[in-house]
Amino acid sequence: MAKKNQCEGCKGLCCRYFALPIDKPKTREDFDDIRWYLCHKGISIFVEDGTWYISMKNECRHLTKTDRCAIYPRRPLICRRYKKADCDYVEGEYHYDLHFINDREMDEYIRIKFDNNVTEKQLLKKDIKKKLKKAS
C-alpha cells in the first residue's frame, strides 16, 4: 500500500517561506539591526516561546504550479521531518509572543522599550531628589 502524501490538498504554504532562529536582541543596536532586516520585502520577525526568529518569504524552487513538490521522493530531510502537527495548513492564527512585519513596528517597539525606560528612570531620579530635598 502506498504511503499517503501528508501534503494532499495543501497549497504548499510551508514551501513559500522559511524561518530561522536569531540571537535574542539585548541592546538598542541589536534591535536596530533587526529593524534593518524588516526594511526588506518579505521579511518578518517573530518570537515564539521566548525564541526570536527571522522569517523570509521565498518560494521553494521545486514547488510546482499545482502546489506539489517536484522532488517529493527525494526532498530534503528538513521537509521529511516536517510533521502534520506543525503544518501551516491549519485554521486559526499563530499565537506569537511578538510579531513584527515592518520596520515601523520595530521602531515603535524600540522607542517604547528604550526611550520610555529612560524617561521612567529620569522621573524616578527627579522623584528621589525631591524626596531628599523635603527630608533635609
Side-chain angles (χ1 to χ4, degrees):
M1 179 188 233
K3 192 173 182 180
K4 187 177 177 187
N5 179 343
Q6 77 175 20
C7 303
E8 201 63 46
C10 181
K11 297 294 180 192
L13 302 176
C14 63
C15 303
R16 298 179 189 280
Y17 78 96
F18 59 93
L20 300 169
I22 58 173
D23 290 337
K24 182 178 181 178
K26 294 176 180 79
T27 66
R28 186 182 201 113
E29 187 175 330
D30 293 342
F31 281 95
D32 196 58
D33 286 348
I34 291 173
R35 187 174 68 89
W36 176 78
Y37 302 158
L38 291 164
C39 289
H40 295 82
K41 292 179 182 178
I43 300 295
S44 67
I45 300 290
F46 65 92
V47 180
E48 187 175 63
D49 299 326
T51 301
W52 287 69
Y53 294 89
I54 184 169
S55 177
M56 296 166 238
K57 288 184 182 178
N58 193 344
E59 188 174 295
C60 177
R61 72 181 81 233
H62 299 293
L63 188 63
T64 68
K65 292 181 193 246
T66 58
D67 302 317
R68 305 276 50 94
C69 178
I71 61 166
Y72 190 82
R74 54 185 178 72
R75 68 197 184 281
L77 187 57
I78 196 166
C79 300
R80 292 175 185 280
R81 287 183 177 156
Y82 199 73
K83 302 294 178 213
K84 209 172 209 174
D86 299 326
C87 185
D88 294 327
Y89 190 61
V90 292
E91 293 192 26
E93 294 184 25
Y94 289 103
H95 298 286
Y96 299 124
D97 302 338
L98 295 169
H99 188 211
F100 304 96
I101 60 171
N102 60 52
D103 56 307
R104 291 180 305 277
E105 291 178 350
M106 179 55 71
D107 191 47
E108 182 180 345
Y109 184 79
I110 290 169
R111 281 187 275 120
I112 291 169
K113 181 169 184 64
F114 291 96
D115 296 342
N116 283 356
N117 287 340
V118 170
T119 303
E120 288 172 17
K121 289 175 186 174
Q122 289 171 343
L123 290 173
L124 183 59
K125 283 181 183 178
K126 285 181 184 178
D127 190 43
I128 290 171
K129 285 181 183 178
K130 283 181 186 177
K131 288 179 181 177
L132 288 173
K133 282 184 181 179
K134 286 183 183 179
S136 9

